[in-house]
Amino acid sequence: MPTARDDTAPRPLRPAMLRGAMRRCPACGEGALFDGYLRVKDQCPHCGEALHHQRADDGPAYLTILLVSHLGAPLLLAIYIAYRPSPVSMLIGFGLGAVILSLVLLPVIKGAFVGFQWARRMHGFGLEHKGTA
C-alpha cells in the first residue's frame, strides 16, 4: 500500500521520459505503454500504474513536424547544391523520407510526452494510488 510519502516523492524526469520514448511504462519501464500504434493503455499491465490521465493531444504531432522539417530542409538544400538531382527524384526521395521519419518519431515523442506528464504529476498523475481507477 503506498504511503503519503510515496505520493509526494519526486519522480525523476529523464528516466521517465526515456522509458516513455522506448514505448514502456514511465513508472516501471517494463509494461507496454501503447495498445497499438499510438493509443495509450489505460493501465500498465506490469505495475498497474494508471496511464489514462495522459493528455498528449497534438503536442507530439507538432514536435514531430518541427523535427522532420528542421532535419529535412538543410539536407534538401545540401543535396540540391551538391548533386542537382531532378525535381521528381527529390520529391519522391524527400517525400518518402519525411513520411517514414514521421511514422518512426511520432510514437517515440508521444511516449516521451507521457513520461514527462507522469514525472511532473500533470493531469491527475499521482492523485490516485497504483491499481485504482
Side-chain angles (χ1 to χ4, degrees):
M1 174 114 191
T3 63
R5 184 167 186 239
D6 292 334
D7 290 340
T8 60
R11 294 176 176 171
L13 178 65
R14 186 176 182 154
M17 289 182 71
L18 287 175
R19 289 181 198 137
M22 292 186 305
R23 300 165 60 169
R24 297 287 173 202
C25 171
C28 68
E30 296 293 324
L33 180 63
F34 295 115
D35 186 21
Y37 180 62
L38 284 178
R39 186 180 184 282
V40 177
K41 293 184 179 217
D42 289 335
Q43 189 173 359
C44 174
H46 185 261
C47 69
E49 179 73 33
L51 300 170
H52 61 88
H53 302 294
Q54 67 86 23
R55 297 290 178 262
D57 298 329
D58 291 334
Y62 291 137
L63 189 56
T64 300
I65 292 168
L66 181 75
L67 288 175
V68 170
S69 63
H70 278 79
L71 292 172
L75 186 62
L76 187 137
L77 181 63
I79 287 179
Y80 179 74
I81 289 173
Y83 302 109
R84 300 278 183 196
S86 71
V88 173
S89 64
M90 287 190 66
L91 180 66
I92 291 171
F94 280 95
L96 284 174
V99 168
I100 291 169
L101 189 58
S102 296
L103 290 174
V104 169
L105 285 178
L106 192 55
V108 172
I109 293 172
K110 183 168 183 175
F113 263 67
V114 173
F116 179 84
Q117 291 174 11
W118 177 83
R120 294 294 181 233
R121 292 185 168 85
M122 297 170 67
H123 309 295
F125 281 115
L127 294 179
E128 298 177 356
H129 295 297
K130 287 184 180 179
T132 60

